[in-house]
Amino acid sequence: MSEAAQLAAGIEALGGPGLVACAVWIGAEGAPDCALAPEEARAMARAVPARRAEFAAGRHAAREAMQRLGQAAQPVPMRPDRSPHWPEGLRGSISHEAGLAVAALRSGGAAFGIDIAPAAPLDRDLHDEIAALGELDQPVPGFDRGMIARLVFSAKEAAYKAQFPESGLVLGFEAMRVEITATGPAGGGLVARLARPAGPYGAGTAFRGGWRRIGARFAVLMQAPASAAEGCRPGFALRNTASRGRARMASRDGVS
């Protein structure tokens, strides 16, 4: 199985029954011809070639996933808020990393977000930007602090994408705290809790998912609760949640 196929299969395993994922190489020899539909191309009119290539690859992967769901391949234009405008009845998410674009879709259900990231330590200079006090002290077998930071970063990116369809809010990294659960050498569970209300989601709302280490990459998927009230913990308040930085999430993939 190719690296791209392994990554797609890992995301499908994280998403459970009904979710399909497709991964395509970006601009590499043998990569598919990822032409954009006119309504998609308008968003890339001023983009540099590299950004246009990753955007086109993500849309190509999304259309492949639609066909695997038994639906006709349709354009996925960009909304004014930069989120994908999915065809009616579909939930989806797109991520890009180091030459690969991945799209995951399912029919209906709760919103979700995916993120793919290098399985390498996050730069030390970014730790205080993305993590709350104590958030990087969680034990993960075989991981140093930099690797835990990478996983926390990726989980927040994916959870941000999961909350955006209902809240429409751009959140900073300090808006969530990640718990790493049931860890093993190649994967585990994740919970991201909101530190404060976001649209219909109350403080303490849990976005749940997991991670897999696939080759040189992490694959992460986080899901919103089925209803805004379902994932909320009454009276929840996080202590020491404020990270020193005010960086915003979804810096790499928009809100795909």
Side-chain angles (χ1 to χ4, degrees), residues 73-96:
Q74 301 178 58
V76 185
M78 182 185 284
R79 295 180 184 273
D81 60 17
R82 299 182 59 80
S83 66
H85 187 171
W86 296 106
E88 186 175 356
L90 292 183
R91 294 283 197 180
S93 185
I94 300 171
S95 186
H96 320 87

Side-chain angles (χ1 to χ4, degrees), residues 6-248:
Q6 290 180 51
L7 197 61
I11 290 172
E12 289 181 352
L14 290 169
L19 184 139
V20 300
C22 292
V24 300
W25 291 102
I26 302 170
E29 184 177 351
D33 180 14
C34 301
L36 290 171
E39 54 266 56
E40 296 170 332
R42 283 193 287 270
M44 294 290 106
R46 298 183 179 180
V48 299
R51 170 57 181 148
R52 184 181 177 91
E54 71 174 17
F55 181 90
R59 264 51 185 183
H60 182 90
R63 283 189 279 277
E64 285 193 352
M66 290 177 202
Q67 291 176 314
R68 287 192 53 206
L69 282 173
Q71 301 198 17
Q74 301 178 58
V76 185
M78 182 185 284
R79 295 180 184 273
D81 60 17
R82 299 182 59 80
S83 66
H85 187 171
W86 296 106
E88 186 175 356
L90 292 183
R91 294 283 197 180
S93 185
I94 300 171
S95 186
H96 320 87
E97 196 278 318
L100 268 177
V102 183
L105 279 80
R106 69 178 169 212
S107 297
F112 68 94
I114 64 170
D115 190 64
I116 54 174
L122 190 70
D123 289 347
R124 178 63 185 85
D125 291 346
L126 296 176
H127 290 192
D128 290 340
E129 294 288 329
I130 63 97
L133 296 176
E135 200 169 8
L136 304 185
D137 296 330
Q138 304 177 70
V140 179
F143 280 23
D144 61 16
R145 193 174 180 85
M147 289 289 277
I148 294 170
R150 176 72 70 182
L151 196 54
V152 167
F153 178 95
S154 193
K156 290 185 179 184
E157 289 266 348
Y160 169 80
K161 295 177 185 179
Q163 66 82 39
F164 189 85
E166 299 300 329
S167 78
L169 295 177
V170 177
L171 304 179
F173 285 97
E174 78 286 349
M176 294 180 183
R177 187 182 181 99
V178 170
E179 304 164 21
I180 305 171
T181 63
T183 59
L190 295 164
V191 180
R193 293 191 183 276
L194 288 173
R196 60 174 184 268
Y201 302 113
T205 296
F207 294 77
R208 301 181 185 276
W211 64 278
R212 295 288 185 274
R213 185 171 185 169
I214 302 167
R217 292 178 171 85
F218 285 137
V220 172
L221 185 145
M222 302 295 287
Q223 303 196 64
S227 68
E230 180 180 306
C232 186
R233 181 185 294 176
F236 179 83
L238 289 176
R239 296 181 180 180
N240 297 325
T241 57
S243 58
R244 297 180 189 176
R246 300 289 296 179
R248 290 184 172 184

